[in-house]
Amino acid sequence: MKTSQSSISFLAIVVLPLVMLGGCAELQPSSQPMIAKRTQMHMGTLVTVTAVAFDTQVSDRAVQAAFDEIKRLEGLLSTWRSDSELSQVNAEAGRRSVQVSRETFDLVVRSLDMAQLTRGGFNIALGPAIEAWSVTERPQVPDEHVLEQLKPLVDWTTIQIDKKLQTIYLPYKGMRIDVGGVGKGYAADRAVEVMKRAGAKGGVVALSGDIKAFGVLSERKGFPVGIRHPREEGTLIGIIDLHDEAVSTAGDYERFFERDGVRYHHILDPRTLQPARGCQSVTVIAKDGTTADGLDTGIFVLGPESGMALVERLPDVEAIIVDANGTLRVSSGLRDRLGVP
Ligand code: ADP
Ligand code: MG
């Protein structure tokens, strides 16, 4: 018998309440840190920004600056808007190279670096295959032949970049690039920068499961975040205090459907164009959100052994991997930091 089920959940990581600082800003004496916190919908997800300052005006301004920056990036990096730079690169696939801004170019270069690091596990050219699956809109397994034909179009190694001219060229018609896989992490990084410039002493930017924290809180070592259990909603597998760093999770429970008892989820293995099978969830902690966001997907595809080996090789990168059997693996630099929920 065929069964079909779709599910969307955005609770990969939970920013825990800043209990040590007490209630709302208005009630605190002015020598105490003031907290401003707001949630809005951007980049297709709930974005919560928290800023800590010694003045409510400063914390409010920092939160607003963060949202303005995220909105700017949404316009710059989106591929659903035909006027964005990357949409132009995609529209010219197979025809000519397109010059883009320094910012877009640098993010594409960083994405390609992450593809290299994860041996193609993270792939910004995967769009045609992601669309063929459309996991959340259409709970259907695509035809093998259809996927096979897409393989040349998703080969990221054919992307041509010219560092001097700042151009990107996709050699085949139908190819396209999409930096959505690092977009939220990058937006978190940028938002933190503008909050610092606005005078915030600390804060957290959370684009659903992509979170970056900075600064310190009085009476607490860092900003506490909980990592959710990939199979038991509402259960945490650990708590970490974030310092000046970012965390990001890729999980097979975020977007999936089930067919004949098999889970088909949104993270594809670029070699097979089938859902990657080695992990249930991968949480990466890195200095910046762009790295954390790209690596979680790439490591998910690499699988628990190769993925953890990569984490151990990279400086300033830690990970928590729940493998396909549900076994928890924690990188060496994180073992002393992972708190029990
Ligand atoms: P989210 O988009 O929820 O932050 P991730 O950071 O885990 O989630 O990225 C997953 C998204 O990236 C998928 O929804 C899909 O659009 C795309 N994707 C799927 N597989 C890959 C892959 N191997 N490399 C790069 N992007 C991928
Ligand atoms: Mg990711």
Side-chain angles (χ1 to χ4, degrees), residues 122 181-182 210 248-250 292-297:
F122 177 71
V182 287
D210 285 292
S248 180
T249 293
D293 198 8
L295 285 181
D296 66 358
T297 311

Side-chain angles (χ1 to χ4, degrees), residues 121-123 126 130 181 184 210 250 255 266-268 270 293 297 301:
F122 177 71
N123 179 346
L126 209 54
I130 291 164
K184 289 188 214 152
D210 285 292
R255 276 167 263 160
H266 70 309
I267 301 163
L268 301 181
D293 198 8
T297 311
V301 172

Side-chain angles (χ1 to χ4, degrees), residues 73 157 191-192 287:
L73 292 173
T157 62
V192 160
K287 285 282 169 222

Side-chain angles (χ1 to χ4, degrees), residues 178-195:
D178 185 345
V179 292
V182 287
K184 289 188 214 152
Y186 179 67
D189 288 340
R190 291 295 320 146
V192 160
E193 285 315 306
V194 299
M195 282 167 78

Side-chain angles (χ1 to χ4, degrees), residues 94-310:
R95 284 208 290 253
R96 64 175 189 96
S97 61
V98 175
Q99 193 174 44
V100 296
S101 63
R102 165 61 50 195
E103 186 171 23
T104 301
F105 188 81
D106 286 348
L107 191 56
V108 168
V109 169
R110 286 188 70 185
S111 300
L112 293 174
D113 289 345
M114 264 176 293
Q116 201 90 49
L117 269 180
T118 59
R119 300 203 300 271
F122 177 71
N123 179 346
I124 58 168
L126 209 54
I130 291 164
E131 190 183 307
W133 278 89
S134 293
V135 164
T136 38
E137 290 107 61
R138 189 162 18 98
Q140 240 174 46
V141 180
D143 192 273
E144 272 292 331
H145 300 293
V146 172
L147 291 178
E148 202 51 44
Q149 281 172 351
L150 294 178
K151 284 190 176 164
L153 297 182
V154 302
D155 183 358
W156 64 276
T157 62
T158 66
I159 298 173
Q160 293 171 28
I161 54 166
D162 186 319
K163 291 195 175 177
K164 243 198 231 124
L165 297 175
Q166 231 166 270
T167 57
I168 305 171
Y169 177 53
L170 307 178
Y172 306 110
K173 194 169 177 323
M175 263 189 105
R176 74 184 111 108
I177 53 174
D178 185 345
V179 292
V182 287
K184 289 188 214 152
Y186 179 67
D189 288 340
R190 291 295 320 146
V192 160
E193 285 315 306
V194 299
M195 282 167 78
K196 283 183 186 167
R197 245 185 277 142
K201 295 287 163 250
V204 191
V205 178
L207 295 96
S208 66
D210 285 292
I211 299 167
K212 168 128 181 180
F214 73 101
V216 285
L217 286 173
S218 53
E219 301 170 46
R220 175 122 208 160
K221 283 184 249 104
F223 290 87
V225 296
I227 317 295
R228 81 152 261 193
H229 192 292
R231 290 291 177 271
E232 294 165 26
E233 209 171 339
T235 305
L236 298 180
I237 55 174
I239 296 174
I240 321 169
D241 267 348
L242 279 192
H243 300 270
D244 285 300
E245 53 195 352
V247 61
S248 180
T249 293
D252 69 0
Y253 52 86
E254 290 172 311
R255 276 167 263 160
F256 70 94
F257 66 87
E258 276 175 9
R259 221 4 100 75
D260 298 331
V262 180
R263 177 181 292 238
Y264 295 94
H265 62 86
H266 70 309
I267 301 163
L268 301 181
D269 185 329
R271 286 164 302 193
T272 60
L273 302 188
Q274 296 288 325
R277 292 294 174 202
C279 305
Q280 292 178 1
S281 78
V282 172
T283 299
V284 172
I285 291 150
K287 285 282 169 222
D288 63 89
T290 314
T291 303
D293 198 8
L295 285 181
D296 66 358
T297 311
I299 290 169
F300 195 107
V301 172
L302 279 177
E305 269 95 34
S306 309
M308 197 52 97
L310 172 65

